[in-house]
Amino acid sequence: MAVTFPKGFYWGGATAANQIEGAWDQDGRGPSVDDHFLGGSITTPRMITRDIDPARFYPNHDGIDFYHRYKEDIALFAEMGFNMFRLSISWSRIFPNGDDEKPNEAGLAFYDNVFDELAKYGIEPLVTLSHYEMPYHLVEKYNGWESRELIGFFEKYCKTVFERYQDKVRYWLTFNEINCGTMDMGNLFETSMIQGFEGPASASHTTMQQRYQALHHQFVASARVVRYAHEHYPQFKMGNMDCFVLTYPGTCDPADQLANLAEMRRMNWYCSDVQVRGAYPSYAARFWRENGIELQVEDGDLADIAAGTVDFYTFSYYMSGVVDTHDVEQAAGNMSMGGRNPYLKSTDWGWQIDPEGLRIALNQIYDRYQIPLMVVENGMGALDEVSPDGSIHDQYRIDYLRSHVRAMGEAVDDGVDLMGYTWWGPIDLVSAGTGEMRKRYGFIYVDKHDDGSGTYERRRKDSFFAYQKIIKSNGSEGLE
């Protein structure tokens, strides 16, 4: 049976300001937390410096220079057939320190220009308000989201951009992969509790108490912003964004089943249960008790959370994992969970490729929440080789794309209300986890390398044309 997608389905790509824009200190922008990260690799963690050292290379400072090349890049997206582009606003481009009295007009004007360019091609923007970055001043002064004061700063920032772009943006997401805040490594980007820290990113640690208190502050901030949008801008649709890491029990041992239930709740359900249902889930109290977590909840917090539920659920999906209470080989990769799955292949960076898992995830999420869904990140980082004639033959990426689109089509046929699909990194960008350029996701090649060299020239890969065919047919062709 042919795969069919609903009429008006959104096809596109997803990016983050800190990974593509560059121009880190231009036109009044303040330093973001990401601007203090050096490059790393799959084996070497990124280093964090409190002060910017002009003699060292910070890959996010230049990104892929989208700030100056956005017209060229958007034209390429339009050529592929995009009708949606997910991007984020750099908080420090609007409020350089995060707690400034007035916004930076030059920053606001930049996004006006980007949204106008998208509109020229009929491309709908999907805007993430906080995508793994915050003004570094908020890190140093408040220790990021550990401080309740960030709620007010975030509200002010959101109200500013809502007012400015109310006629240009309809779809908004509050926090990118908010559930990564449950993990120790999520501290680096998602909650940014690295006040005073310097050294390898892997050496930065937080307590469970800190992580879940910071998440509570984010839940309140997100809910207040969602409620404000609903009250003042009824045309807006507000979404959450989770990193969905599907896990399977390693065996039919009931111990594995229980361990997997606990992992799915911790990683995949805890945050979205709050943001979609508007309350902490029933299993939270025991989890807090057993992990020594005592949330500081102020009067009105739970009412705010209840009043600020999202309109649609979005998520990233890259891989699946295995939860096993027995002695098994562990999967590789900086985001991989648990044991290696012998039935799956992996990417060059050790992420297990599981398109059927995407269908399973879509069904599980929709069964649980019954609101529209969107896959806003999916893709694979790979080593690309430029042929002597300048072409890039990336059949491995095409295979990955096709298999995941087929899985989404099956989920739609299963009855899932799926709104759209935005491939992660439709153009090569700086990897968040490793800071590398050689870990390439794009359908468009960018001539920039891990040492900062390159012309920044854009090239279409074979996958560019493969995705173009899929989009043109609304997913009914190009999957063979």
Side-chain angles (χ1 to χ4, degrees):
M1 188 181 69
V3 171
T4 56
F5 287 88
K7 186 178 179 182
F9 189 81
Y10 286 116
W11 296 98
T15 59
N18 67 85
Q19 292 168 263
I20 65 166
E21 283 183 4
W24 76 283
D25 59 354
Q26 293 183 26
D27 297 330
R29 184 183 181 275
S32 173
V33 62
D34 309 78
D35 296 320
H36 291 258
F37 283 54
L38 302 171
S41 70
I42 191 173
T43 56
T44 306
R46 301 187 72 174
M47 296 290 291
I48 301 170
T49 68
R50 292 182 68 185
D51 296 316
I52 303 295
D53 182 350
R56 305 177 84 175
F57 177 59
Y58 298 82
N60 298 77
H61 284 191
D62 300 315
I64 58 166
D65 198 29
F66 178 81
Y67 191 79
H68 298 108
R69 298 168 183 257
Y70 68 90
K71 289 186 178 181
E72 174 189 359
D73 292 342
I74 291 170
L76 286 165
F77 299 156
E79 184 184 334
M80 261 189 287
F82 284 18
N83 58 3
M84 176 167 276
F85 176 49
R86 178 180 172 229
L87 70 160
S88 69
I89 293 175
S90 170
W91 187 348
S92 64
R93 207 175 282 290
I94 309 303
F95 288 97
N97 295 300
D99 57 1
D100 312 78
E101 184 181 344
K102 294 182 178 178
N104 172 35
E105 173 57 31
L108 289 165
F110 168 68
Y111 294 106
D112 271 322
N113 293 335
V114 171
F115 296 142
D116 289 346
E117 195 69 15
L118 290 169
K120 189 168 89 176
Y121 294 100
I123 300 174
E124 187 94 42
L126 170 63
V127 175
T128 312
L129 290 155
S130 177
H131 191 134
Y132 280 8
E133 66 176 324
M134 70 168 59
Y136 189 68
H137 172 75
L138 298 182
V139 174
E140 283 293 274
K141 187 173 181 180
Y142 302 96
N143 198 27
W145 281 100
E146 184 171 31
S147 170
R148 189 179 175 90
E149 290 187 72
L150 261 71
I151 297 172
F153 300 142
F154 185 71
E155 283 184 277
K156 182 176 180 178
Y157 154 61
C158 293
K159 289 176 181 179
T160 300
V161 297
F162 286 168
E163 177 65 22
R164 179 72 170 229
Y165 309 125
Q166 58 182 299
D167 298 321
K168 300 182 180 185
V169 179
R170 288 192 299 162
Y171 294 99
W172 302 86
L173 309 177
T174 52
F175 292 99
N176 177 69
E177 294 187 331
I178 190 170
N179 57 322
C180 285
T182 65
M183 305 160 65
D184 202 11
M185 64 156 286
N187 163 51
L188 300 170
F189 299 113
E190 213 285 309
T191 49
S192 298
M193 296 184 289
I194 53 171
Q195 184 180 45
F197 178 79
E198 195 161 59
S202 57
S204 172
H205 298 292
T206 50
T207 64
M208 294 275 277
Q209 173 67 32
Q210 285 178 300
R211 295 200 286 278
Y212 283 85
Q213 187 64 52
L215 278 171
H216 177 73
H217 295 153
Q218 288 188 322
F219 292 149
V220 174
S222 175
R224 287 185 183 177
V225 164
V226 168
R227 183 177 63 182
Y228 180 86
H230 285 157
E231 290 172 351
H232 293 84
Y233 307 101
Q235 72 273 27
F236 286 1
K237 296 295 183 184
M238 305 298 297
N240 68 322
M241 200 295 202
D242 271 51
C243 173
F244 202 93
V245 183
L246 179 72
T247 53
Y248 305 111
T251 70
C252 53
D253 182 345
D256 285 357
Q257 304 293 319
L258 279 170
N260 188 60
L261 173 65
E263 176 61 18
M264 286 289 292
R265 283 174 164 178
R266 184 195 68 81
M267 183 65 199
N268 297 316
W269 301 130
Y270 179 90
C271 291
S272 53
D273 279 354
V274 174
Q275 292 189 288
V276 178
R277 292 172 165 171
Y280 279 106
S282 56
Y283 52 83
R286 180 174 182 174
F287 178 81
W288 295 331
R289 184 177 71 249
E290 293 182 350
N291 289 282
I293 298 165
E294 295 183 14
L295 290 188
Q296 300 300 310
V297 179
E298 294 198 3
D299 289 347
D301 283 359
L302 299 182
D304 283 339
I305 288 171
T309 55
V310 296
D311 304 306
F312 63 108
Y313 174 110
T314 82
F315 67 107
S316 61
Y317 178 85
Y318 292 101
M319 74 204 85
S320 62
V322 174
V323 174
D324 200 311
T325 62
H326 310 87
D327 187 21
V328 297
E329 181 184 350
Q330 296 299 292
N334 65 325
M335 285 282 290
S336 294
M337 302 292 160
R340 189 181 71 82
N341 189 328
Y343 299 99
L344 302 177
K345 295 178 181 178
S346 298
T347 70
D348 295 330
W349 271 260
W351 295 22
Q352 298 182 128
I353 301 170
D354 183 12
E356 293 306 317
L358 177 55
R359 179 183 177 184
I360 294 167
L362 284 163
N363 274 278
Q364 288 188 359
I365 297 164
Y366 192 64
D367 282 352
R368 193 177 188 99
Y369 298 129
Q370 296 288 302
I371 63 172
L373 312 183
M374 197 183 297
V375 180
V376 295
E377 286 186 30
N378 173 238
M380 66 177 297
L383 296 164
D384 290 338
E385 187 173 326
V386 181
S387 300
D389 65 357
S391 59
I392 297 111
H393 304 303
D394 56 340
Q395 188 61 45
Y396 40 87
R397 187 172 288 109
I398 295 170
D399 293 342
Y400 184 104
L401 170 68
R402 288 171 174 168
S403 64
H404 285 77
V405 171
R406 283 195 299 268
M408 289 193 302
E410 294 291 348
V412 169
D413 199 39
D414 291 335
V416 172
D417 183 359
L418 185 62
M419 298 166 59
Y421 175 73
T422 56
W423 171 275
W424 174 251
I427 183 168
D428 291 343
L429 39 66
V430 176
S431 167
T434 64
E436 294 173 294
M437 279 300 302
R438 71 188 189 116
K439 185 182 183 183
R440 297 183 181 274
Y441 285 86
F443 305 127
I444 302 164
Y445 182 88
V446 177
D447 184 44
K448 181 190 175 183
H449 307 285
D450 289 343
D451 61 359
S453 64
T455 65
Y456 289 81
E457 178 190 3
R458 274 61 166 153
R459 293 175 181 267
R460 298 165 185 80
K461 305 177 190 179
D462 287 358
S463 55
F464 180 100
F465 303 102
Y467 195 33
Q468 184 185 60
K469 185 176 182 180
I470 290 170
I471 296 173
K472 188 175 182 180
S473 66
N474 197 32
S476 62
E477 297 178 15
L479 301 180
E480 61 283 345

